[in-house]
Amino acid sequence: MKVAALTGCVVFGFTDWLDGYLAKKLDQRTVLGAYLDPAADKCMITALTVGLMVKDMIPLPLAALILARDAALIGCSVYLRLRDKPKDQAFFDVEHTNFVIVPSILSKVNTAMQFVLLGSTLSHYALAWPVLEQLEPLWWGTGFTTLLSGLGYLDGSGLKFFRKTSSSIKSSIAQRLKGVMPKEEDKQDKEGK
């Protein structure tokens, strides 16, 4: 069963990377994909963290930190959406939103470290490699990046707010997904119209 779990983790990690690579390479990024991809990552990380914590394979404080950070991010996102959406708008109407969560480099490093930690832990228990002593520095490093990346969202730097009409919001998000942000002068021209 441990080998099956490890295989599933490797397949998920590879297909997650391949999906992102192909979307970028083929210019197939979408607003919906920008929401679903991180959600899928968080579901996988949560499921693995809880499973490994229950089996006493990762330290409880580290598991609690990983789960608390993700719960706080999800809770804050839901709160912001409920606070800012018009009453007649569906909650998941991603074409009409006034903010988008933009992951920092540290947050991306943290997600990668979490996958490496969880995959390595599964590998340790399935294949006896790496040895437990090699996992301890990974626990500390993952805990450190989890804490710092979570704190990084507290100052609002991980959020981009829009004060525009819904069509220009959709355009801004689409441009952000393509990696092309309008120049500051263009933003001011549009806001002035």
Side-chain angles (χ1 to χ4, degrees), residues 9 110-122 135 138 142:
C9 184
N110 177 60
T111 299
M113 286 197 66
Q114 288 177 349
F115 273 118
V116 168
L117 166 76
L118 298 169
S120 297
T121 302
L122 282 172
L135 289 177
L138 194 53
T142 303

Side-chain angles (χ1 to χ4, degrees), residues 61-117:
L62 176 59
L65 180 62
I66 291 170
L67 298 173
R69 175 194 175 269
D70 288 348
L73 289 176
I74 292 167
C76 288
S77 298
V78 169
Y79 167 75
L80 288 172
R81 179 65 180 148
L82 288 172
R83 183 190 73 182
D84 294 342
K85 79 171 192 65
K87 297 214 183 293
D88 62 335
Q89 191 178 82
F91 183 84
F92 290 107
D93 183 356
V94 296
E95 292 185 13
H96 302 93
T97 185
N98 61 346
F99 76 94
V100 64
I101 296 176
V102 182
S104 66
I105 297 295
L106 181 59
S107 183
K108 291 178 181 185
V109 167
N110 177 60
T111 299
M113 286 197 66
Q114 288 177 349
F115 273 118
V116 168
L117 166 76

Side-chain angles (χ1 to χ4, degrees), residues 7-167:
T7 302
C9 184
V10 169
V11 168
F12 178 86
F14 176 74
T15 57
D16 182 51
W17 169 82
L18 183 62
D19 171 58
Y21 174 78
L22 290 175
K24 188 173 185 177
K25 187 80 169 168
L26 301 173
D27 196 25
Q28 296 292 316
R29 292 179 279 185
T30 65
V31 173
L32 183 60
Y35 283 90
L36 290 180
D37 186 63
D41 291 347
K42 292 301 154 204
C43 286
M44 180 68 169
I45 287 171
T46 299
L48 283 170
T49 300
V50 169
L52 293 172
M53 178 187 66
V54 167
K55 293 288 191 178
D56 202 29
M57 294 179 178
I58 60 172
L60 179 61
L62 176 59
L65 180 62
I66 291 170
L67 298 173
R69 175 194 175 269
D70 288 348
L73 289 176
I74 292 167
C76 288
S77 298
V78 169
Y79 167 75
L80 288 172
R81 179 65 180 148
L82 288 172
R83 183 190 73 182
D84 294 342
K85 79 171 192 65
K87 297 214 183 293
D88 62 335
Q89 191 178 82
F91 183 84
F92 290 107
D93 183 356
V94 296
E95 292 185 13
H96 302 93
T97 185
N98 61 346
F99 76 94
V100 64
I101 296 176
V102 182
S104 66
I105 297 295
L106 181 59
S107 183
K108 291 178 181 185
V109 167
N110 177 60
T111 299
M113 286 197 66
Q114 288 177 349
F115 273 118
V116 168
L117 166 76
L118 298 169
S120 297
T121 302
L122 282 172
S123 177
H124 169 74
Y125 287 99
L127 307 174
W129 182 87
V131 295
L132 195 57
E133 291 77 22
Q134 293 171 320
L135 289 177
E136 190 171 339
L138 194 53
W139 293 340
W140 286 100
T142 303
F144 186 68
T145 60
T146 300
L147 181 63
L148 287 182
S149 66
L151 292 174
Y153 285 102
L154 291 180
D155 68 359
S157 63
L159 299 173
K160 298 294 181 201
F161 288 92
F162 302 98
R163 291 177 302 190
K164 302 176 182 180
T165 63
S166 60
S167 62

